[in-house]
Amino acid sequence: DVKVTQSSRYLVKRTGEKVFLECVQDMDHENMFWYRQDPGLGLRLIYFSYDVKMKEKGDIPEGYSVSREKKERFSLILESASTNQTSMYLCASRRQVFNQPQHFGDGTRLSIL
Amino acid sequence: AQKVTQAQTEISVVEKEDVTLDCVYETRDTTYYLFWYKQPPSGELVFLIRRNSFDEQNEISGRYSWNFQKSTSSFNFTITASQVVDSAVYFCALSEANRDDKIIFGKGTRLHILP
C-alpha cells in the first residue's frame, strides 16, 4: 500500500512565522502535490513537483514556496504566515504513468493566530 | 475548460437506504479519466475508482457502483444499503490525457448516514 505521511496532524503558528509542512512518501513516486482545502472551495492546488528539484506553480501559489531535495520528501513553506493561510493542507503523490491516481496523506490542519 | 460539478453539497439518508451522488464534468479532450475519492472525518482522501473515457461499462464493487454516461457527461456514484461508516465527503475528479499530472476536483458532497 502507498503511504503518504504528513509530519503533523495539527499545527498552531503565529502571524509572521516561517512555517514548514513536511510530506514523505514511500513508493518512489515521481510526482508530488500540495493542496489546501477550505469549506465551500474544495481542494485547490498550491504547488506540484514532477521530480527531484523540479516544481511548478498550481492555482494558488502566492505566499507559499516548496522544496524537493529528495524524491520521497516534498516540503511546503509559508514564508511569512498570515491568518488567511489557516486551512487544511493535503499532500499527495503519484506514479508518473498515464493518469495514475494520486494518493493522499492524512492532512495537516494549520491554524495561524 | 475542464470542470467538475457536484451539485449536491450535503445529503442525509437513513442507514440501509440507497444513495446516489451526482457528478457532471466538462472537458474538450476525447481522452480523459474520472475518479472518485472518499474523505472520512479522519481527513485522508481515499482513492475509490478510476475510469477512462473509452470504458463506459458500469462498475460494481461490493455496495458501491458507478454509472458512467458520456452522453450526459456524468459519472454518478451509488451506495447500496448505506452504513454509518459511509459517512464522509466524496469527491469526483477529472484528469485529461494531455495533462495527467493535474486533476480537477469537484467541491465534494458531504454524506451523512443516520443510524
Side-chain angles (χ1 to χ4, degrees), chain B:
Chain B
Q2 61 272 45
K3 187 178 175 183
V4 176
T5 302
Q6 295 179 255
Q8 304 148 309
T9 308
E10 204 157 341
I11 302 174
S12 294
V13 300
V14 177
E15 199 173 18
K16 296 189 182 143
E17 285 185 1
D18 299 347
V19 58
T20 295
L21 309 182
D22 298 333
C23 173
V24 173
Y25 62 91
E26 293 175 32
T27 176
R28 292 197 186 117
D29 266 20
T30 54
T31 305
Y32 52 89
Y33 284 75
L34 297 162
F35 304 81
W36 275 95
Y37 284 84
K38 173 183 179 179
Q39 186 179 37
S42 56
E44 176 187 1
L45 265 80
V46 178
F47 164 68
L48 296 178
I49 189 171
R50 179 183 74 154
R51 175 52 54 88
N52 77 54
S53 52
F54 297 109
D55 182 1
E56 284 195 75
Q57 281 207 359
N58 290 336
E59 173 123 1
I60 298 174
S61 175
R63 295 183 297 106
Y64 293 174
S65 62
W66 290 269
N67 184 341
F68 176 31
Q69 298 216 345
K70 278 176 94 165
S71 60
T72 55
S73 297
S74 65
F75 187 43
N76 296 338
F77 173 31
T78 297
I79 302 174
T80 303
S82 60
Q83 299 176 2
V84 172
V85 293
D86 296 327
S87 297
V89 181
Y90 290 86
F91 291 93
C92 181
L94 163 76
S95 72
E96 295 172 333
N98 63 349
R99 223 22 239 278
D100 71 338
D101 54 319
K102 283 201 80 171
I103 183 169
I104 310 301
F105 285 91
K107 289 197 164 52
T109 297
R110 185 176 294 278
L111 177 62
H112 301 277
I113 307 298
L114 308 172

Side-chain angles (χ1 to χ4, degrees), chain A residues 24-76:
Chain A
V24 176
Q25 50 93 4
D26 66 357
M27 286 301 292
D28 204 35
H29 285 173
E30 293 85 3
N31 301 163
M32 295 188 75
F33 307 80
W34 274 106
Y35 295 87
R36 63 177 284 177
Q37 182 180 11
D38 300 287
L41 298 177
L43 275 78
R44 293 181 291 168
L45 181 64
I46 305 171
Y47 266 98
F48 63 100
S49 169
Y50 286 107
D51 211 327
V52 179
K53 296 193 188 294
M54 299 176 72
K55 61 185 179 185
E56 199 163 314
K57 292 179 181 178
D59 301 316
I60 50 163
E62 296 78 20
Y64 303 94
S65 62
V66 289
S67 171
R68 190 147 179 225
E69 296 297 316
K70 292 186 178 180
K71 194 172 187 179
E72 67 270 19
R73 185 180 296 271
F74 191 35
S75 303
L76 179 69

Side-chain angles (χ1 to χ4, degrees), chain A residues 74-110:
Chain A
F74 191 35
S75 303
L76 179 69
I77 304 154
L78 285 66
E79 298 289 346
S80 177
S82 63
T83 54
N84 64 10
Q85 292 177 310
T86 291
S87 186
M88 170 75 122
Y89 289 86
L90 290 159
C91 175
S93 72
R94 68 182 281 271
R95 288 188 63 206
Q96 193 164 310
V97 172
F98 203 55
N99 295 94
Q100 286 296 302
Q102 295 181 20
H103 297 272
F104 285 81
D106 287 346
T108 296
R109 193 166 291 283
L110 175 65

